[in-house]
Structure formats: C-alpha cells, structure tokens
Amino acid sequence: MAASHDHTQFISRYKSIEDHGKPKRVLDTIKVGEVYISRLAMEPDAVSGNLYHNRTNVIVFVVRGLVRCKYVDVDSGAAEELTADPSFGVIHQPPRSANALRNINLGESVLFVFSNRPLRRDDDVPYPICDPETGAALPLPQPVAACSGRERKPMTHYPFQQDRRKPGRLLETVKVGGVWISRVTIEPGVVTGNLYHKKTNVMLFVTQGRLRFKFVHVETGEQKEFEMERGRGLIHMPPYVAIADKNIGKDPAVVYYLSNHPFRQDDDYEYK
C-alpha cells in the first residue's frame, strides 16, 4: 500500500470473484495491487483449510461468528489451537504452517484473509488436521523435517488496541508488518470521518450494518456519495480524498480499514 504521488487520484471500487468450489463455504477474492483480499463465508460446522503453503503469507481475522482454529508447523509438528470471534484480533500464518478452520457458530461465520499469493492455486499443499465432514481431529502427519534451533510458532496473534475517545464509535487497531488494520463500530445515526490524509492510503469495506459514505477530493472538488452494506466490495481511498460516513441503519455498523499509517495521529486533517 505505497503512498501515491498523484494528488488527483480519486476513489476506486473493487468487486470480488466468487468461488463455490468447496461445500458449505463461499470464497470471494479481490486483487488490489500485489495483495489478495478474500472473504470466506462458512456455514455452521463447515471446515476449511486442511492445507499449508510453501510461499504464501496469510493474515486472517473473523468479522462475524465464532471459528475454531488449529495451526500446525509442518516441519516441527508444533501446534496451537484457539477460538476466534470479531474481537479476537488478527492471526498471521507464515509459510509451512498448516491450518484448519471450523465454524462453531449456530449461524454463518465470515473471515477475511489477506495473502501475497492467490488462495486455492498452485501453492496449496494438503495437510489433514480435521475431518471435513465431522470436524473431528485427525492424527497429524509426521513432521516433515527436524527443527533446528528455537521452535517456530505456527501462528502469531495480534490483539486489537481500543480507542473510545470519540462518542458513538469504537476504534480498534492492530499493526501487522507495515499495515494497520482498524475495526470501527459506529452507533446508529453517528457520523465519523470528516477528514483526509496526505500520506495515508486506505482500503475499506463494510462487514455489518448500512452506511452512507461521502468522498470529496480536497484539491479537484470531485465528489461521490453512496450507500454500502456488508458484502458490497471494497473501496480504495488515496491521499487527499476526504471521507465522512453515517450509520443510517437501526443497529451498530462495522467498517474495516487497511492503511499504511495509523489513524488519529499526525496525518489527520479536518475537512467538513
């Protein structure tokens, strides 16, 4: 998400490509630059994963529901198991770490997955962890190679840090590598934003509720205004584009932001 030097760029909207190739789950994927952003929707008791990658780094977080996750380092056999919900934070899965995800929610669970390579392509290596029909644990394969030195963790957990300074909204942020992932919960009728950035590139998508967004380019005056709900794609907002959004629904709305600088620090400029 490198900063752009063209101050005339305006917002871009991206739509996903759906993959129904596995039972009880839908995988929608968008490529933005060199990053693949996937939305994984799982029916109750659905199992996904049971594989690892040799070259792909993966970041995963739950945006709805409750998911049981198991990660195994295929070289050492080290394993970790956890339960994740939308407040859990973000998981980094490095190459040669296998995973299995099971939806233990009574309804649909949804996860977002960021990766440097496309999923379900040439870097998928099968690795049985859970029975895909029952979710029961399977005997793990033998470690591929002896692990030298310190044992490598099969995953790393990054918890959200909360910011409640603004009334009517909760900002939760975590930094993973050079990317800040922010989760904003907005109460009905509340307006957030009214600002722009000079150095910060932003990707945003809605995972809950209904919001009206307005974007204004602060130098060219170009404007766009529209409503968004969950599952309606992703927006790229370059520097010098101001944003304001209002929750126009009856329930709290949730928006996720990806950025190359943290929010609410030295690159926020008021714009009303």
Side-chain angles (χ1 to χ4, degrees), residues 208-226:
Q208 179 179 309
R210 186 162 62 99
L211 298 106
R212 175 167 289 278
F213 287 90
K214 185 172 184 178
F215 300 91
V216 180
H217 197 290
V218 301
E219 294 190 348
T220 68
E222 185 175 358
Q223 299 185 23
K224 281 188 181 179
E225 188 170 353
F226 47 80

Side-chain angles (χ1 to χ4, degrees), residues 53-203:
H53 311 286
N54 283 310
R55 293 167 290 173
T56 306
N57 271 282
V58 176
I59 294 173
V60 180
F61 53 93
V62 177
V63 300
R64 186 164 73 250
L66 193 65
V67 179
R68 190 67 180 165
C69 312
K70 187 168 184 177
Y71 292 87
V72 181
D73 184 286
V74 301
D75 293 318
S76 69
E80 292 193 34
E81 194 165 355
L82 53 95
T83 300
D85 65 7
S87 65
F88 179 78
V90 174
I91 297 168
H92 171 232
Q93 176 188 351
R96 302 193 63 75
S97 172
N99 81 340
L101 310 172
R102 182 188 178 200
N103 179 12
I104 58 175
N105 194 37
L106 294 177
E108 181 185 67
S109 286
V110 177
L111 307 91
F112 270 80
V113 184
F114 303 153
S115 59
N116 61 320
R117 299 177 62 85
L119 305 179
R120 301 294 176 187
R121 297 286 180 88
D122 60 347
D123 195 32
D124 288 5
V125 182
Y127 190 94
I129 297 175
C130 294
D131 187 301
E133 298 297 328
T134 66
L138 298 174
L140 295 178
Q142 290 295 315
V144 174
C147 187
S148 60
R150 187 172 61 181
E151 189 174 87
R152 187 178 64 179
K153 295 178 64 175
M155 53 77 68
T156 303
H157 171 223
Y158 296 87
F160 283 119
Q161 303 297 315
Q162 293 190 349
D163 175 353
R164 298 180 180 270
R165 288 178 290 175
K166 297 286 184 179
R169 77 100 172 103
L170 170 63
L171 172 64
E172 300 171 278
T173 303
V174 59
K175 182 184 179 186
V176 182
V179 177
W180 279 262
I181 300 172
S182 301
R183 177 177 185 261
V184 183
T185 303
I186 307 165
E187 295 299 320
V190 171
V191 174
T192 67
N194 284 323
L195 53 78
Y196 70 97
H197 311 287
K198 294 183 179 180
K199 299 178 293 183
T200 305
N201 272 278
V202 177
M203 299 282 183

